[in-house]
Amino acid sequence: MDMILEPLMNPFALLNLQAQMTSLVMDTHTVMTLRLMGLSGAIPARRGENNRMIAEKAPAIAKAYAAASMAAMAGNTPDKIISAALAPLSRKVRANRKRLMK
């Protein structure tokens, strides 16, 4: 039983994943701040923003789950699976940030 073990991830993949997560966290923080400021009346908020922030959660999570599942079933490494899950969330949060900052 002589098996050659291949490394699951290289260190650069982990750095890339960390950069993706950091970007997502920063964009999320910005969106949350802008929405809280809108809720408090500190800045003008678009009509229906409260409903929008609730309604978009489930579809975004479902897309992330589906992307991660597909990546896992394809036999990808853990970093690629997590990256696949982060992609739809990052797109949604980035779009929200851009829209709310107008």
Side-chain angles (χ1 to χ4, degrees):
M1 291 230 137
D2 196 13
M3 291 179 60
I4 298 174
L5 296 176
E6 239 180 86
L8 291 177
M9 295 182 287
N10 68 46
F12 295 109
L14 291 175
L15 288 173
N16 183 38
L17 188 58
Q18 181 182 13
Q20 288 176 333
M21 293 182 97
T22 301
S23 178
L24 176 60
V25 166
M26 292 177 71
D27 283 344
T28 301
H29 179 72
T30 302
V31 168
M32 289 174 62
T33 300
L34 290 168
R35 283 184 166 161
L36 285 172
M37 289 175 70
L39 284 170
S40 69
I43 61 172
R46 292 187 176 153
R47 186 177 182 100
E49 189 62 39
N50 297 346
N51 292 335
R52 184 179 187 153
M53 72 177 160
I54 301 300
E56 68 188 6
K57 301 285 186 265
I61 294 296
K63 286 180 183 177
Y65 179 79
S69 296
M70 294 298 288
M73 287 188 284
N76 285 312
T77 57
D79 63 306
K80 290 181 182 172
I81 295 168
I82 296 169
S83 184
L86 290 176
L89 297 175
S90 295
R91 279 192 299 274
K92 187 65 173 175
V93 172
R94 192 176 315 112
N96 281 337
R97 178 184 50 82
K98 288 178 180 179
R99 181 179 48 78
L100 291 169
M101 291 186 76
K102 287 183 181 179

Coordinates of all heavy atoms in Angstrom, one line a residue:
M1 N 0.8 -1.2 0.0 CA 0.0 0.0 0.0 C 0.9 1.3 0.0 O 0.9 2.0 0.9 CB -0.9 0.0 1.2 CG -2.0 -1.0 1.3 SD -3.4 -0.1 1.7 CE -4.5 -0.8 0.6
D2 N 1.6 1.4 -1.0 CA 2.4 2.6 -1.2 C 1.7 3.7 -1.9 O 1.5 3.6 -3.2 CB 3.7 2.2 -1.9 CG 4.8 3.3 -1.7 OD1 4.6 4.2 -0.8 OD2 5.8 3.2 -2.4
M3 N 1.2 4.7 -1.2 CA 0.4 5.7 -1.9 C 1.3 7.0 -2.0 O 2.0 7.4 -1.0 CB -0.9 6.0 -1.1 CG -1.9 4.9 -1.2 SD -3.3 5.3 -0.2 CE -3.9 6.7 -1.0
I4 N 1.1 7.7 -3.0 CA 1.8 9.0 -3.1 C 0.7 10.0 -2.8 O -0.4 10.1 -3.5 CB 2.3 9.3 -4.6 CG1 3.4 8.2 -4.9 CG2 2.8 10.7 -4.7 CD1 3.9 8.3 -6.3
L5 N 0.9 10.8 -1.8 CA -0.1 11.8 -1.4 C 0.2 13.1 -2.1 O 1.3 13.7 -2.0 CB -0.1 12.0 0.1 CG -0.5 10.8 0.9 CD1 -0.4 11.0 2.4 CD2 -1.9 10.4 0.5
E6 N -0.7 13.6 -2.8 CA -0.6 14.9 -3.5 C -1.1 16.0 -2.5 O -2.1 15.8 -1.9 CB -1.5 14.9 -4.7 CG -0.7 15.2 -6.0 CD -1.7 15.2 -7.2 OE1 -2.3 16.2 -7.5 OE2 -1.8 14.1 -7.8
P7 N -0.4 17.1 -2.5 CA -1.0 18.2 -1.6 C -2.3 18.7 -2.2 O -2.5 18.8 -3.4 CB 0.1 19.3 -1.7 CG 0.9 19.0 -2.9 CD 0.8 17.5 -3.2
L8 N -3.2 19.0 -1.3 CA -4.5 19.4 -1.7 C -4.5 20.9 -2.2 O -5.2 21.2 -3.1 CB -5.5 19.4 -0.5 CG -5.9 18.0 0.0 CD1 -6.8 18.1 1.2 CD2 -6.5 17.2 -1.2
M9 N -3.7 21.7 -1.6 CA -3.6 23.1 -2.1 C -2.2 23.6 -1.9 O -1.4 23.1 -1.1 CB -4.5 24.0 -1.1 CG -5.9 23.7 -1.2 SD -6.9 24.8 -0.2 CE -6.5 24.2 1.5
N10 N -1.9 24.5 -2.8 CA -0.6 25.2 -2.6 C -0.7 26.5 -1.8 O -1.8 27.0 -1.7 CB 0.1 25.4 -4.0 CG -0.6 26.4 -4.8 OD1 -1.0 27.5 -4.3 ND2 -0.8 26.1 -6.1
P11 N 0.3 27.0 -1.3 CA 0.2 28.2 -0.4 C -0.3 29.4 -1.2 O -1.0 30.2 -0.6 CB 1.7 28.5 0.0 CG 2.4 27.2 -0.2 CD 1.7 26.5 -1.3
F12 N -0.1 29.5 -2.5 CA -0.6 30.6 -3.2 C -2.1 30.6 -3.4 O -2.7 31.6 -3.5 CB 0.2 30.7 -4.6 CG 1.6 31.0 -4.4 CD1 2.6 30.0 -4.7 CD2 2.1 32.2 -4.0 CE1 3.9 30.3 -4.6 CE2 3.4 32.5 -3.8 CZ 4.3 31.5 -4.1
A13 N -2.6 29.4 -3.5 CA -4.1 29.2 -3.5 C -4.7 29.7 -2.2 O -5.8 30.4 -2.3 CB -4.4 27.8 -3.8
L14 N -4.0 29.5 -1.1 CA -4.6 30.0 0.1 C -4.5 31.5 0.2 O -5.4 32.1 0.7 CB -3.8 29.4 1.3 CG -4.0 27.9 1.5 CD1 -3.1 27.4 2.7 CD2 -5.5 27.6 1.9
L15 N -3.4 32.1 -0.3 CA -3.4 33.6 -0.3 C -4.4 34.2 -1.2 O -5.0 35.2 -0.9 CB -2.0 34.0 -0.8 CG -0.8 33.8 0.2 CD1 0.5 34.1 -0.5 CD2 -1.0 34.6 1.4
N16 N -4.7 33.5 -2.4 CA -5.7 34.0 -3.3 C -7.1 33.9 -2.6 O -7.9 34.8 -2.7 CB -5.7 33.2 -4.6 CG -6.8 33.7 -5.6 OD1 -7.0 34.8 -5.7 ND2 -7.4 32.7 -6.3
L17 N -7.3 32.8 -1.9 CA -8.6 32.6 -1.2 C -8.8 33.7 -0.1 O -9.8 34.2 0.1 CB -8.7 31.2 -0.6 CG -10.0 30.8 0.0 CD1 -11.1 30.9 -1.0 CD2 -9.8 29.4 0.6
Q18 N -7.7 34.0 0.6 CA -7.7 35.0 1.6 C -8.0 36.4 1.0 O -8.8 37.1 1.6 CB -6.4 35.1 2.4 CG -6.4 36.1 3.5 CD -5.0 36.2 4.2 OE1 -4.0 35.7 3.7 NE2 -5.0 36.9 5.3
A19 N -7.5 36.7 -0.1 CA -7.8 37.9 -0.8 C -9.2 38.0 -1.2 O -9.9 39.1 -1.0 CB -6.8 38.1 -2.0
Q20 N -9.8 36.9 -1.7 CA -11.2 36.9 -2.1 C -12.1 37.1 -0.9 O -13.0 37.9 -0.9 CB -11.6 35.6 -2.7 CG -11.0 35.3 -4.1 CD -11.4 33.9 -4.6 OE1 -11.5 33.0 -3.8 NE2 -11.5 33.8 -5.9
M21 N -11.7 36.5 0.2 CA -12.6 36.6 1.4 C -12.4 38.0 2.0 O -13.4 38.6 2.5 CB -12.2 35.5 2.5 CG -12.5 34.1 2.0 SD -12.1 32.9 3.2 CE -13.7 32.7 4.0
T22 N -11.3 38.6 2.0 CA -11.1 39.9 2.5 C -11.9 40.9 1.7 O -12.5 41.8 2.2 CB -9.6 40.3 2.5 OG1 -8.8 39.4 3.3 CG2 -9.3 41.7 3.0
S23 N -11.8 40.8 0.4 CA -12.6 41.6 -0.5 C -14.1 41.5 -0.2 O -14.8 42.5 -0.1 CB -12.4 41.3 -1.9 OG -13.1 42.1 -2.8
L24 N -14.6 40.3 0.0 CA -16.0 40.1 0.3 C -16.4 40.7 1.7 O -17.4 41.4 1.8 CB -16.3 38.6 0.3 CG -17.7 38.2 0.7 CD1 -18.8 38.8 -0.2 CD2 -17.9 36.7 0.8
V25 N -15.5 40.5 2.7 CA -15.8 41.1 4.0 C -15.8 42.6 3.9 O -16.7 43.3 4.5 CB -14.7 40.6 5.0 CG1 -14.8 41.5 6.3 CG2 -14.9 39.2 5.3
M26 N -14.9 43.2 3.2 CA -14.9 44.7 3.1 C -16.1 45.2 2.4 O -16.7 46.2 2.8 CB -13.6 45.2 2.4 CG -12.4 44.9 3.3 SD -10.8 45.3 2.5 CE -10.9 47.1 2.5
D27 N -16.5 44.6 1.3 CA -17.7 45.0 0.5 C -18.9 44.8 1.4 O -19.8 45.7 1.4 CB -17.8 44.3 -0.8 CG -16.9 44.7 -1.9 OD1 -16.3 45.9 -1.7 OD2 -16.7 44.0 -2.9
T28 N -19.0 43.7 2.1 CA -20.1 43.4 3.0 C -20.3 44.5 4.1 O -21.3 45.0 4.3 CB -20.0 42.1 3.6 OG1 -20.0 41.1 2.6 CG2 -21.2 41.8 4.5
H29 N -19.1 44.9 4.6 CA -19.1 45.9 5.7 C -19.6 47.2 5.1 O -20.4 47.9 5.8 CB -17.7 46.1 6.2 CG -17.6 47.1 7.3 ND1 -18.2 47.0 8.6 CD2 -17.1 48.4 7.3 CE1 -18.0 48.0 9.3 NE2 -17.3 48.9 8.5
T30 N -19.2 47.6 3.9 CA -19.6 48.8 3.3 C -21.1 48.8 3.0 O -21.9 49.8 3.3 CB -18.9 49.0 2.0 OG1 -17.5 49.1 2.2 CG2 -19.3 50.3 1.3
V31 N -21.6 47.7 2.5 CA -23.1 47.6 2.2 C -23.9 47.6 3.5 O -24.9 48.4 3.5 CB -23.4 46.2 1.4 CG1 -24.9 46.0 1.4 CG2 -22.8 46.3 0.0
M32 N -23.4 47.0 4.5 CA -24.2 47.0 5.8 C -24.2 48.4 6.4 O -25.2 48.9 6.9 CB -23.5 46.0 6.8 CG -23.8 44.6 6.5 SD -22.9 43.4 7.5 CE -23.6 43.8 9.1
T33 N -23.1 49.1 6.3 CA -23.0 50.5 6.8 C -24.0 51.4 6.0 O -24.7 52.2 6.6 CB -21.6 51.0 6.7 OG1 -20.7 50.1 7.5 CG2 -21.5 52.4 7.2
L34 N -23.9 51.3 4.7 CA -24.8 52.1 3.9 C -26.3 51.8 4.1 O -27.1 52.8 4.2 CB -24.5 52.0 2.4 CG -23.1 52.5 2.0 CD1 -22.7 52.1 0.6 CD2 -23.1 54.1 2.0
R35 N -26.6 50.6 4.3 CA -28.0 50.2 4.6 C -28.4 50.7 5.9 O -29.6 51.2 6.1 CB -28.2 48.7 4.4 CG -28.3 48.4 2.9 CD -28.6 46.9 2.7 NE -28.9 46.7 1.3 CZ -28.9 45.5 0.7 NH1 -28.5 44.4 1.4 NH2 -29.3 45.4 -0.6
L36 N -27.6 50.5 6.9 CA -27.9 51.0 8.3 C -28.1 52.5 8.3 O -29.0 53.1 9.0 CB -26.9 50.6 9.3 CG -27.0 49.1 9.7 CD1 -25.8 48.7 10.6 CD2 -28.3 48.8 10.4
M37 N -27.2 53.2 7.6 CA -27.4 54.7 7.5 C -28.7 55.1 6.8 O -29.3 56.0 7.2 CB -26.1 55.3 6.8 CG -24.9 55.2 7.6 SD -23.4 55.7 6.7 CE -23.7 57.5 6.6
G38 N -29.0 54.3 5.8 CA -30.3 54.5 5.1 C -31.5 54.3 6.0 O -32.5 55.0 6.0
L39 N -31.4 53.2 6.8 CA -32.5 52.9 7.7 C -32.7 53.9 8.8 O -33.8 54.2 9.2 CB -32.3 51.5 8.4 CG -32.5 50.3 7.5 CD1 -32.0 49.0 8.2 CD2 -34.0 50.1 7.3
S40 N -31.6 54.5 9.2 CA -31.6 55.5 10.3 C -32.0 56.9 9.8 O -32.2 57.8 10.6 CB -30.3 55.5 11.0 OG -29.3 56.1 10.2
G41 N -32.0 57.0 8.5 CA -32.3 58.4 7.9 C -31.1 59.3 7.7 O -31.3 60.4 7.4
A42 N -29.9 58.8 8.0 CA -28.7 59.6 7.9 C -28.4 59.9 6.4 O -27.8 60.9 6.1 CB -27.5 58.9 8.5
I43 N -28.8 59.0 5.5 CA -28.6 59.2 4.1 C -29.9 58.8 3.4 O -30.7 58.0 4.0 CB -27.4 58.4 3.5 CG1 -27.6 56.9 3.7 CG2 -26.1 58.9 4.1 CD1 -26.6 56.1 2.9
P44 N -30.2 59.3 2.2 CA -31.4 58.9 1.6 C -31.4 57.4 1.1 O -30.3 57.0 0.7 CB -31.5 59.8 0.3 CG -30.3 60.7 0.4 CD -29.5 60.3 1.5
A45 N -32.5 56.7 1.4 CA -32.5 55.3 1.0 C -33.6 55.2 -0.1 O -34.6 55.8 -0.1 CB -32.9 54.5 2.2
R46 N -33.3 54.3 -1.1 CA -34.2 54.0 -2.1 C -35.5 53.3 -1.6 O -35.4 52.5 -0.7 CB -33.6 53.2 -3.2 CG -32.5 54.0 -4.0 CD -32.0 53.2 -5.1 NE -31.1 54.0 -5.9 CZ -30.1 53.5 -6.6 NH1 -29.9 52.2 -6.7 NH2 -29.2 54.3 -7.2
R47 N -36.6 53.5 -2.3 CA -37.8 52.9 -1.9 C -37.7 51.4 -2.1 O -37.1 50.9 -3.1 CB -38.9 53.4 -2.8 CG -40.3 52.9 -2.4 CD -41.3 53.6 -3.3 NE -42.6 53.2 -2.9 CZ -43.5 53.9 -2.2 NH1 -43.1 55.1 -1.7 NH2 -44.6 53.4 -1.9
G48 N -38.1 50.6 -1.1 CA -38.0 49.1 -1.2 C -36.7 48.5 -0.9 O -36.5 47.3 -1.0
E49 N -35.7 49.3 -0.4 CA -34.4 48.8 0.0 C -34.5 47.8 1.1 O -33.8 46.8 1.1 CB -33.5 50.0 0.3 CG -32.0 49.5 0.5 CD -31.4 49.0 -0.8 OE1 -31.7 49.5 -1.9 OE2 -30.7 48.0 -0.7
N50 N -35.4 48.1 2.1 CA -35.5 47.1 3.2 C -36.0 45.8 2.7 O -35.5 44.7 3.2 CB -36.5 47.7 4.2 CG -36.0 49.0 4.8 OD1 -34.9 49.3 4.7 ND2 -36.9 49.7 5.5
N51 N -37.0 45.7 1.8 CA -37.4 44.5 1.3 C -36.4 43.8 0.5 O -36.2 42.6 0.5 CB -38.7 44.7 0.5 CG -39.9 45.1 1.4 OD1 -39.9 44.8 2.6 ND2 -40.8 45.8 0.8
R52 N -35.7 44.6 -0.3 CA -34.6 44.0 -1.2 C -33.6 43.3 -0.4 O -33.1 42.3 -0.8 CB -34.1 45.2 -2.0 CG -33.1 44.7 -3.0 CD -32.5 45.8 -3.9 NE -31.7 45.3 -4.9 CZ -31.5 45.9 -6.1 NH1 -32.1 47.0 -6.4 NH2 -30.7 45.3 -7.0
M53 N -33.1 43.9 0.7 CA -32.0 43.3 1.4 C -32.4 42.0 2.1 O -31.6 41.1 2.3 CB -31.4 44.3 2.5 CG -32.2 44.6 3.7 SD -31.3 45.7 4.7 CE -32.6 46.3 5.7
I54 N -33.7 41.8 2.3 CA -34.2 40.5 2.9 C -34.4 39.5 1.7 O -34.0 38.4 1.8 CB -35.5 40.7 3.6 CG1 -35.3 41.7 4.8 CG2 -36.0 39.4 4.1 CD1 -34.3 41.3 5.8
A55 N -35.0 40.0 0.7 CA -35.3 39.1 -0.5 C -34.1 38.5 -1.2 O -34.2 37.4 -1.8 CB -36.3 39.8 -1.4
E56 N -33.0 39.2 -1.2 CA -31.9 38.7 -2.0 C -31.0 37.7 -1.2 O -30.2 37.1 -1.9 CB -31.0 39.9 -2.4 CG -30.3 40.6 -1.2 CD -29.6 41.9 -1.6 OE1 -29.8 42.3 -2.8 OE2 -28.9 42.4 -0.8
K57 N -31.2 37.5 0.0 CA -30.4 36.6 0.8 C -30.5 35.1 0.4 O -29.5 34.5 0.1 CB -30.7 36.7 2.3 CG -30.6 38.0 2.9 CD -29.1 38.4 3.1 CE -29.0 39.7 3.9 NZ -28.8 40.8 3.1
A58 N -31.7 34.6 0.3 CA -31.9 33.2 0.0 C -31.4 32.8 -1.4 O -30.7 31.8 -1.5 CB -33.4 32.8 0.2
P59 N -31.8 33.6 -2.4 CA -31.2 33.2 -3.7 C -29.7 33.3 -3.8 O -29.1 32.4 -4.5 CB -31.8 34.3 -4.7 CG -33.1 34.8 -4.0 CD -32.7 34.7 -2.5
A60 N -29.1 34.3 -3.1 CA -27.6 34.3 -3.1 C -27.0 33.1 -2.5 O -26.0 32.6 -3.0 CB -27.2 35.6 -2.5
I61 N -27.5 32.7 -1.3 CA -27.0 31.6 -0.6 C -27.2 30.3 -1.4 O -26.4 29.4 -1.5 CB -27.7 31.5 0.8 CG1 -27.2 32.6 1.7 CG2 -27.3 30.1 1.4 CD1 -25.7 32.7 2.0
A62 N -28.4 30.2 -2.1 CA -28.7 29.0 -2.9 C -27.7 28.9 -4.1 O -27.2 27.8 -4.4 CB -30.1 29.1 -3.4
K63 N -27.4 30.1 -4.7 CA -26.4 30.0 -5.8 C -25.0 29.7 -5.3 O -24.3 28.9 -5.9 CB -26.3 31.4 -6.5 CG -27.5 31.7 -7.3 CD -27.4 33.1 -8.0 CE -28.6 33.4 -8.8 NZ -28.6 34.8 -9.3
A64 N -24.6 30.1 -4.1 CA -23.3 29.8 -3.5 C -23.2 28.3 -3.2 O -22.2 27.6 -3.5 CB -23.1 30.6 -2.3
Y65 N -24.3 27.8 -2.6 CA -24.4 26.4 -2.3 C -24.3 25.5 -3.6 O -23.6 24.5 -3.6 CB -25.7 26.1 -1.5 CG -25.9 24.6 -1.2 CD1 -25.2 24.1 -0.1 CD2 -26.7 23.8 -1.9 CE1 -25.3 22.8 0.3 CE2 -26.8 22.4 -1.6 CZ -26.1 21.9 -0.5 OH -26.3 20.6 -0.1
A66 N -25.0 25.9 -4.6 CA -25.0 25.1 -5.8 C -23.6 25.2 -6.5 O -23.1 24.1 -7.0 CB -26.0 25.7 -6.8
A67 N -23.0 26.3 -6.5 CA -21.6 26.4 -7.1 C -20.6 25.6 -6.3 O -19.8 24.9 -6.9 CB -21.2 27.9 -7.1
A68 N -20.7 25.6 -5.0 CA -19.8 24.8 -4.2 C -20.1 23.3 -4.4 O -19.1 22.5 -4.5 CB -19.9 25.2 -2.7
S69 N -21.3 23.0 -4.5 CA -21.7 21.5 -4.7 C -21.1 21.0 -6.0 O -20.6 19.9 -6.1 CB -23.2 21.3 -4.6 OG -23.6 21.7 -3.3
M70 N -21.3 21.9 -7.0 CA -20.8 21.5 -8.4 C -19.3 21.3 -8.4 O -18.7 20.4 -9.0 CB -21.3 22.5 -9.4 CG -22.8 22.5 -9.6 SD -23.5 21.0 -10.2 CE -22.9 21.0 -11.9
A71 N -18.6 22.3 -7.7 CA -17.2 22.2 -7.6 C -16.7 21.0 -6.9 O -15.7 20.3 -7.3 CB -16.6 23.5 -7.0
A72 N -17.4 20.7 -5.8 CA -17.0 19.5 -5.0 C -17.3 18.2 -5.8 O -16.4 17.3 -5.8 CB -17.8 19.5 -3.7
M73 N -18.4 18.1 -6.5 CA -18.7 16.9 -7.3 C -17.7 16.8 -8.5 O -17.5 15.7 -8.9 CB -20.1 17.0 -7.8 CG -21.1 16.7 -6.6 SD -22.8 16.5 -7.2 CE -23.3 18.2 -7.6
A74 N -17.2 17.9 -8.9 CA -16.2 17.8 -10.0 C -14.8 17.4 -9.5 O -13.9 17.2 -10.3 CB -16.1 19.1 -10.7
G75 N -14.7 17.2 -8.2 CA -13.4 16.8 -7.6 C -12.4 17.9 -7.4 O -11.2 17.6 -7.3
N76 N -12.8 19.1 -7.3 CA -11.9 20.2 -7.1 C -11.3 20.2 -5.7 O -11.8 19.6 -4.8 CB -12.6 21.5 -7.4 CG -12.8 21.8 -8.8 OD1 -11.9 21.6 -9.6 ND2 -14.0 22.2 -9.2
T77 N -10.2 20.9 -5.5 CA -9.6 21.1 -4.3 C -10.4 22.0 -3.3 O -11.2 22.8 -3.8 CB -8.2 21.7 -4.4 OG1 -8.3 22.9 -5.1 CG2 -7.3 20.7 -5.2
P78 N -10.2 21.9 -2.0 CA -11.0 22.7 -1.1 C -11.0 24.2 -1.4 O -12.0 24.9 -1.3 CB -10.4 22.4 0.2 CG -9.8 21.1 0.1 CD -9.3 21.0 -1.3
D79 N -9.8 24.8 -1.8 CA -9.8 26.2 -2.1 C -10.6 26.6 -3.3 O -11.3 27.6 -3.3 CB -8.3 26.6 -2.4 CG -7.7 26.0 -3.6 OD1 -7.7 24.7 -3.6 OD2 -7.2 26.7 -4.4
K80 N -10.7 25.7 -4.3 CA -11.5 25.9 -5.5 C -13.0 25.8 -5.1 O -13.9 26.5 -5.7 CB -11.2 25.0 -6.6 CG -9.8 25.4 -7.2 CD -9.5 24.5 -8.4 CE -8.1 24.9 -8.9 NZ -7.6 23.9 -9.9
I81 N -13.3 24.9 -4.2 CA -14.7 24.8 -3.8 C -15.2 26.0 -3.0 O -16.3 26.6 -3.3 CB -14.9 23.5 -2.9 CG1 -14.6 22.2 -3.7 CG2 -16.3 23.4 -2.3 CD1 -14.4 21.0 -2.9
I82 N -14.4 26.5 -2.1 CA -14.7 27.7 -1.4 C -14.8 28.9 -2.3 O -15.7 29.7 -2.2 CB -13.7 27.9 -0.2 CG1 -13.8 26.8 0.8 CG2 -13.9 29.3 0.5 CD1 -12.7 26.7 1.8
S83 N -13.8 29.0 -3.2 CA -13.8 30.1 -4.2 C -15.1 30.1 -5.1 O -15.6 31.1 -5.3 CB -12.6 30.0 -5.1 OG -12.5 31.1 -5.9
A84 N -15.5 28.9 -5.4 CA -16.8 28.8 -6.2 C -18.0 29.2 -5.4 O -18.9 29.9 -5.9 CB -17.0 27.3 -6.7
A85 N -18.0 29.0 -4.1 CA -19.1 29.4 -3.3 C -19.0 30.9 -3.1 O -20.1 31.6 -3.0 CB -19.0 28.7 -1.9
L86 N -17.8 31.5 -3.0 CA -17.7 32.9 -2.8 C -18.0 33.7 -4.0 O -18.5 34.9 -3.8 CB -16.2 33.3 -2.3 CG -15.8 32.8 -0.9 CD1 -14.3 33.1 -0.7 CD2 -16.7 33.4 0.1
A87 N -17.9 33.2 -5.2 CA -18.1 34.0 -6.4 C -19.4 34.6 -6.5 O -19.6 35.8 -6.7 CB -17.7 33.1 -7.6
P88 N -20.5 33.8 -6.4 CA -21.8 34.5 -6.5 C -22.1 35.4 -5.4 O -22.8 36.5 -5.6 CB -22.8 33.3 -6.5 CG -22.1 32.1 -6.1 CD -20.7 32.4 -6.2
L89 N -21.6 35.2 -4.2 CA -21.8 36.1 -3.1 C -21.1 37.4 -3.3 O -21.6 38.5 -3.1 CB -21.4 35.5 -1.8 CG -22.1 34.2 -1.3 CD1 -21.5 33.6 -0.1 CD2 -23.6 34.5 -1.1
S90 N -19.9 37.3 -3.8 CA -19.0 38.4 -4.1 C -19.7 39.3 -5.2 O -19.7 40.5 -5.1 CB -17.6 38.0 -4.5 OG -17.0 37.4 -3.4
R91 N -20.2 38.7 -6.2 CA -20.8 39.4 -7.3 C -22.0 40.2 -6.8 O -22.2 41.4 -7.1 CB -21.3 38.5 -8.4 CG -20.2 38.1 -9.4 CD -20.7 37.4 -10.6 NE -21.4 36.2 -10.3 CZ -20.8 35.0 -10.2 NH1 -19.5 34.9 -10.4 NH2 -21.6 33.9 -10.0
K92 N -22.8 39.6 -6.0 CA -24.0 40.2 -5.4 C -23.7 41.4 -4.5 O -24.2 42.5 -4.6 CB -24.9 39.2 -4.7 CG -26.2 39.7 -4.3 CD -27.1 40.1 -5.5 CE -28.5 40.5 -5.1 NZ -29.2 40.9 -6.3
V93 N -22.7 41.1 -3.6 CA -22.3 42.2 -2.6 C -21.7 43.3 -3.4 O -21.9 44.5 -3.1 CB -21.4 41.6 -1.5 CG1 -20.9 42.7 -0.7 CG2 -22.2 40.6 -0.7
R94 N -20.8 43.0 -4.3 CA -20.2 44.1 -5.1 C -21.2 44.9 -5.9 O -21.1 46.2 -5.9 CB -19.1 43.5 -6.1 CG -18.2 44.5 -6.7 CD -17.1 43.9 -7.6 NE -16.5 42.7 -7.0 CZ -16.6 41.4 -7.4 NH1 -17.4 41.2 -8.5 NH2 -16.0 40.5 -6.8
A95 N -22.2 44.3 -6.5 CA -23.2 45.0 -7.2 C -24.0 45.9 -6.2 O -24.4 47.0 -6.5 CB -24.2 44.0 -7.9
N96 N -24.3 45.4 -5.0 CA -25.0 46.2 -4.0 C -24.2 47.4 -3.6 O -24.7 48.5 -3.5 CB -25.4 45.3 -2.8 CG -26.6 44.5 -3.0 OD1 -27.4 44.7 -3.9 ND2 -26.7 43.4 -2.2
R97 N -22.9 47.2 -3.4 CA -22.0 48.3 -3.0 C -22.0 49.4 -4.0 O -22.2 50.6 -3.7 CB -20.6 47.8 -2.7 CG -19.6 48.9 -2.3 CD -18.2 48.5 -2.2 NE -17.7 47.7 -3.3 CZ -17.2 48.2 -4.4 NH1 -17.2 49.5 -4.6 NH2 -16.7 47.4 -5.3
K98 N -21.9 49.0 -5.3 CA -21.9 50.0 -6.4 C -23.2 50.7 -6.5 O -23.2 51.9 -6.6 CB -21.5 49.3 -7.7 CG -20.1 48.9 -7.8 CD -19.8 48.2 -9.1 CE -18.4 47.7 -9.2 NZ -18.1 47.0 -10.4
R99 N -24.3 50.0 -6.3 CA -25.6 50.6 -6.4 C -25.9 51.5 -5.3 O -26.4 52.6 -5.5 CB -26.7 49.5 -6.5 CG -28.1 50.0 -6.6 CD -29.1 48.9 -6.7 NE -28.9 47.9 -5.6 CZ -29.3 48.0 -4.4 NH1 -29.9 49.1 -4.0 NH2 -29.1 47.0 -3.5
L100 N -25.5 51.1 -4.1 CA -25.8 51.9 -2.9 C -24.9 53.2 -2.8 O -25.3 54.2 -2.1 CB -25.7 51.1 -1.6 CG -26.7 50.0 -1.4 CD1 -26.3 49.1 -0.3 CD2 -28.1 50.7 -1.1
M101 N -23.8 53.1 -3.4 CA -22.8 54.3 -3.4 C -23.1 55.4 -4.4 O -22.5 56.4 -4.4 CB -21.4 53.8 -3.5 CG -21.0 53.0 -2.3 SD -19.2 52.6 -2.3 CE -18.5 54.1 -1.8
K102 N -24.1 55.1 -5.3 CA -24.5 56.1 -6.3 C -25.2 57.3 -5.6 O -25.9 57.3 -4.7 CB -25.4 55.5 -7.3 CG -24.7 54.6 -8.2 CD -25.6 54.1 -9.3 CE -24.9 53.1 -10.2 NZ -25.8 52.6 -11.3

